[in-house]
Each structure stands twice: as structure tokens, then as C-alpha cells.
Amino acid sequence: MLVVHVHVQVKPQDLPAFLAETRRNAAASLREPGVRRFDVLQREDQPEHVVLSEVYADQAAADAHKQTEHYARWRDAVAPMMAAPRASTRFAAAFPEADGW
Amino acid sequence: MLVVHVHVQVKPQDLPAFLAETRRNAAASLREPGVRRFDVLQREDQPEHVVLSEVYADQAAADAHKQTEHYARWRDAVAPMMAAPRASTRFAAAFPEADGW
């Protein structure tokens, strides 16, 4: 399992629009066969710091996600809403087992 | 929904024992009524950097977790395995809706 945390610092005035676009992308992403989860999190102490927690079956599923129309729409829509370039961190899952996601 | 990411820098020689204790704690935690998820992640570029991604129904569920025997065992067992104090970040969930976890 491949887990990716994408950290985004959103311009405060764009937060509602960013969340709307991101929820739309997340819901569509969950219908991809290789996407296990697509959560959208806001830091309690800094709601403009949004983390996308994406879980893919494997690297091929992550690559396929980047080819979807909903990803392209999201990428282009939110680009001007970011206060800084987004940063990703990749993880391997130590728990649960592969069938637990 | 309350999401907590706990970042732990594990002493390299203790990584197998840390993961064993942490998987045990995670599995037991998933049996608590207010715990929705308890994932254990290792950074791809730095496997000793472990993130516990814990999802609770609410603050009361997070508080109840800290009262369990499995939490106490984990806390005491792994304390000497950490290369630095652990750090937690708290998030609210913007997606999915409460029934999607």
C-alpha cells in the first residue's frame, strides 16, 4: 500500500473554494479502482493547512490517478489558491495488512 | 471526526521491536468503539520516521484510548525506543462525511 500525504497551505480567502474543489476531487478519486482512501484534513490550529491523505493500492494506481479528468480539473483549479508550493510525503503501510484498507 | 498524526523518530536498532509493539497497540485500538482507524506508516525515504494516523469519533474517544491497558503498555514499551520526543498534530476532517470513515 502506498500512502501519500499532500500538504497544502491555502490562501485564507480561497479556503471555501479550495475545499469545494478538493472534496469533488476526493469523491471522484474514491471511484478509481486503485484508490483505497482519499481524506481531506484541516489542521485544528491552522485550518488553511490542509492535508490530503491518499491511499493507493500501488504506484500504478497513483500514476493512474494523475491521468484522470478530475485530477486535472483539481490541479488547475486550485493552483492559484495555494500560498506556497504543495509538498508530498510518501509512506509504506506497516499496519493494517493489505486487506485492511 | 478527530484525526491525530503522531510522528515518532525511532532508534534504528529498535525499529523491529517498535513496529511489533505498535502493530499490537493498533490492532487492539481498532476494537475500541470510538476508534475508526489506527494506521501505522513508515516514510519511504526514512523508515525510522513512523507516523501513527489515528481517527477518533470525537475527543471523548481519544481520551478513552489513553485510558486503555494496550495504550499504557505501548507507551511504556516504546518510550526508550524513541530518538526524540514524539510530536502530534490534530486535524478536523473536511472529507469524507462522518459516516464515511
Side-chain angles (χ1 to χ4, degrees):
Chain A
M1 211 63 53
L2 166 63
V3 180
V4 182
H5 287 176
V6 182
H7 292 259
V8 182
Q9 194 69 36
V10 185
K11 295 175 183 172
Q13 69 272 22
D14 289 330
L15 189 58
F18 178 86
L19 290 175
E21 286 291 342
T22 302
R23 286 189 179 104
R24 179 193 177 102
N25 180 44
S29 300
L30 285 178
R31 293 192 285 272
E32 296 176 46
V35 174
R36 296 286 174 271
R37 295 182 188 162
F38 205 112
D39 307 326
V40 182
L41 312 176
Q42 290 181 270
R43 273 184 65 150
E44 272 192 356
D45 60 351
Q46 193 186 337
E48 297 87 9
H49 184 147
V50 176
V51 176
L52 312 188
S53 181
E54 310 173 11
V55 181
Y56 299 98
D58 50 28
Q59 182 62 51
D63 293 342
H65 170 68
K66 292 284 181 71
Q67 301 302 316
T68 62
E69 283 186 26
H70 51 265
Y71 171 74
R73 173 188 162 135
W74 176 82
R75 179 196 61 208
D76 295 345
V78 304
M81 302 178 188
M82 296 184 184
R86 63 183 188 269
S88 295
T89 307
R90 293 166 54 100
F91 300 89
F95 183 90
E97 300 293 329
D99 59 358
W101 294 81
Chain B
M1 210 64 53
L2 167 63
V3 180
V4 183
H5 287 177
V6 181
H7 292 258
V8 182
Q9 194 70 36
V10 185
K11 295 176 184 173
Q13 68 273 24
D14 290 331
L15 189 57
F18 178 85
L19 290 175
E21 285 291 343
T22 302
R23 286 190 180 103
R24 179 192 177 103
N25 179 43
S29 299
L30 284 177
R31 293 193 285 271
E32 296 175 46
V35 175
R36 296 286 174 272
R37 294 182 188 162
F38 206 110
D39 307 327
V40 183
L41 312 175
Q42 289 181 271
R43 272 184 66 151
E44 274 193 354
D45 60 352
Q46 194 186 336
E48 298 86 9
H49 183 148
V50 176
V51 176
L52 313 188
S53 180
E54 310 174 9
V55 180
Y56 299 98
D58 52 26
Q59 182 62 50
D63 293 342
H65 170 67
K66 292 285 182 70
Q67 300 303 316
T68 62
E69 284 187 26
H70 51 266
Y71 171 75
R73 173 188 162 134
W74 175 83
R75 179 197 61 209
D76 295 344
V78 303
M81 302 178 188
M82 298 185 184
R86 63 184 188 269
S88 295
T89 307
R90 292 166 54 100
F91 300 89
F95 182 89
E97 300 294 329
D99 59 359
W101 295 81

